[in-house]
Amino acid sequence: MSKRILLVNGPNLNLLGTREPEVYGHDTLAGIEALVSSVGSELGLEVRAVQSNHEGDLVDAIQSAREDCAAILINPAAYTHTSVAIRDALSAVALPVAEVHLSNVHAREEFRHHSYVSPIAAFVIAGAGIQGYEFAVRRLATLIG
């Protein structure tokens, strides 16, 4: 049986492709999910993807990952800067976490410079566009063996 990773995308990422393309590019959430699944498959990983604009739904998905996932790849989006609940859920499941951001959050508004997730993440990738997701899957595959 292959190992599984949970791909979590937070609020407003369902609008990718049309939302501020000068910041987030023209790729869609479906494209990201397909890329992650393809790279995961190449590496012997299954991928379960979830996107929600609701914090509690994301917390529930993260908590359920402890049952059948080996790692979590998350773009918490705006919840990066605001959600202790998501941070605590990620910490509680005790799985390797990759934090990914399409844009370079450190080159943007000051409030985007703080992440509740980064201190508990195995690694962070920011500003690489959707390629950051590919990098993250490859690194997670190495971490979980």
Side-chain angles (χ1 to χ4, degrees):
M1 183 174 167
S2 66
K3 293 182 180 177
R4 179 177 297 120
I5 62 173
L6 177 65
L7 170 62
V8 179
N9 280 289
N12 299 309
L13 292 174
N14 56 308
L15 299 177
L16 288 174
T18 58
R19 174 188 177 215
E20 299 176 83
E22 68 283 359
V23 174
Y24 300 107
H26 294 280
D27 295 295
T28 64
L29 180 60
I32 289 170
E33 290 174 350
L35 173 65
V36 170
S37 291
S38 175
V39 174
S41 180
E42 169 192 325
L43 300 169
L45 299 171
E46 290 182 30
V47 176
R48 181 170 65 234
V50 62
Q51 184 281 325
S52 182
N53 297 319
H54 304 281
E55 184 178 35
D57 291 345
L58 297 175
V59 169
D60 289 344
I62 291 164
Q63 288 179 357
S64 71
R66 72 188 309 174
E67 303 299 324
D68 64 350
C69 292
I72 298 173
L73 191 171
I74 185 169
N75 181 341
Y79 288 138
T80 303
H81 324 291
T82 64
S83 182
V84 174
I86 288 174
R87 182 248 183 251
D88 286 351
L90 290 167
S91 186
V93 298
L95 297 171
V97 173
E99 180 183 356
V100 173
H101 299 282
L102 292 162
S103 68
N104 179 356
V105 293
H106 303 289
R108 297 184 62 197
E109 303 92 338
E110 183 69 30
F111 72 87
R112 296 185 196 276
H113 298 184
H114 177 266
S115 169
Y116 282 101
V117 175
S118 293
I120 60 157
F123 59 92
V124 178
I125 299 171
I130 78 165
Q131 193 175 22
Y133 285 83
E134 178 180 350
F135 296 155
V137 174
R138 293 187 184 283
R139 179 67 183 137
L140 283 173
T142 299
L143 290 177
I144 62 178

